[in-house]
Amino acid sequence: HWWLNVLPMNVDAFRLSGFWHKPRNEKIVLGPVWDFDRSIGSYDNRDDNPEAWSGSSGTDFFTYGWFNRLFQDPNWEQAIVDRWVELRQGVFTTNHINGVLDEFTAEIEESALRNVAKWSAVPPNPNLDGEVDHMKDWLARRIAFVDSEFPPVPQYNQPGGSATPGFQVTLSAPSGQIYYTTDGSDPRAPGGAPSAS
């Protein structure tokens, strides 16, 4: 939920168009995700800069509602980073996002002509192709910005699978120290310090 709103810089997320619900006998849940008319560099200048956490008018996802408290917890902060890294391996790749936009474009292409004819004064892109190109460019810049804000994920000399006896595993990163465990446990202790193991 967090990244589906922060990636497109949905300025109404978590406050004006943020809803919570509690399923019977379960914990409180944030959602549904909706209301993206003021996002991805729309006519609202609060979502104008994909290369910043906050838009020109001070959108601050880190202080809305409960998030002010959540971002005081280093475990929450790390969970947000971990989730970004996970999403970037699949649904948040630029190719996947552009593919989804292309599918949606094909679905509404015919009706978009009628929409532009009726609402010809809608800025900033007067046709569907211009709007889609704008969204693709804005999202690519946004993804690159978010990627640049986090340390790069260490790389292995083999992506996984079986290894022959005696194979030497190496990890590398452009900067910083790499912490790891061999028992599958988190190399971070609660609070973010390195685990004793």
Side-chain angles (χ1 to χ4, degrees):
H1 191 102
W2 168 263
W3 282 116
L4 286 175
N5 280 293
V6 174
L7 173 62
M9 199 180 279
N10 180 6
V11 300
D12 289 337
F14 313 128
R15 53 191 191 105
L16 300 176
S17 296
F19 295 92
W20 301 80
H21 65 281
K22 187 183 179 311
R24 188 178 306 274
N25 300 320
E26 294 181 28
K27 294 181 178 182
I28 193 168
V29 178
L30 180 59
V33 177
W34 77 292
D35 193 11
F36 289 85
D37 63 322
R38 296 168 189 264
S39 65
I40 313 178
S42 71
Y43 58 90
D44 186 323
N45 70 352
R46 293 175 295 169
D47 64 350
D48 60 352
N49 186 1
E51 295 163 339
W53 287 112
S54 300
S56 294
S57 296
T59 300
D60 190 352
F61 299 112
F62 303 97
T63 60
Y64 292 154
W66 292 353
F67 292 100
N68 185 38
R69 169 61 187 94
L70 287 170
F71 274 101
Q72 294 172 21
D73 179 352
N75 294 321
W76 165 262
E77 238 181 303
Q78 188 61 55
I80 290 294
V81 174
D82 291 347
R83 184 64 174 142
W84 173 259
V85 170
E86 180 184 347
L87 291 167
R88 286 288 287 131
Q89 304 307 306
V91 295
F92 278 8
T93 62
T94 305
N95 285 341
H96 182 265
I97 290 172
N98 287 346
V100 170
L101 288 172
D102 290 341
E103 287 178 26
F104 289 164
T105 300
E107 191 173 319
I108 65 169
E109 197 163 22
E110 186 274 328
S111 62
L113 297 173
R114 293 192 313 274
N115 184 69
V116 170
K118 181 164 180 76
W119 306 104
S120 59
V122 176
N125 302 298
N127 61 48
L128 180 62
D129 290 337
E131 192 63 31
V132 172
D133 289 344
H134 163 76
M135 290 192 307
K136 286 179 177 180
D137 176 66
W138 194 98
L139 286 165
R141 291 172 56 205
R142 181 73 169 163
I143 288 168
F145 164 74
V146 175
D147 282 346
S148 74
E149 292 290 292
F150 303 135
V153 176
Q155 300 297 310
Y156 296 89
N157 62 330
Q158 179 173 318
S162 298
T164 58
F167 179 80
Q168 296 289 316
V169 175
T170 60
L171 293 109
S172 60
S175 63
Q177 193 165 7
I178 300 172
Y179 294 93
Y180 65 93
T181 59
T182 57
D183 62 2
S185 63
D186 194 328
R188 296 169 302 221
S195 166
S197 62

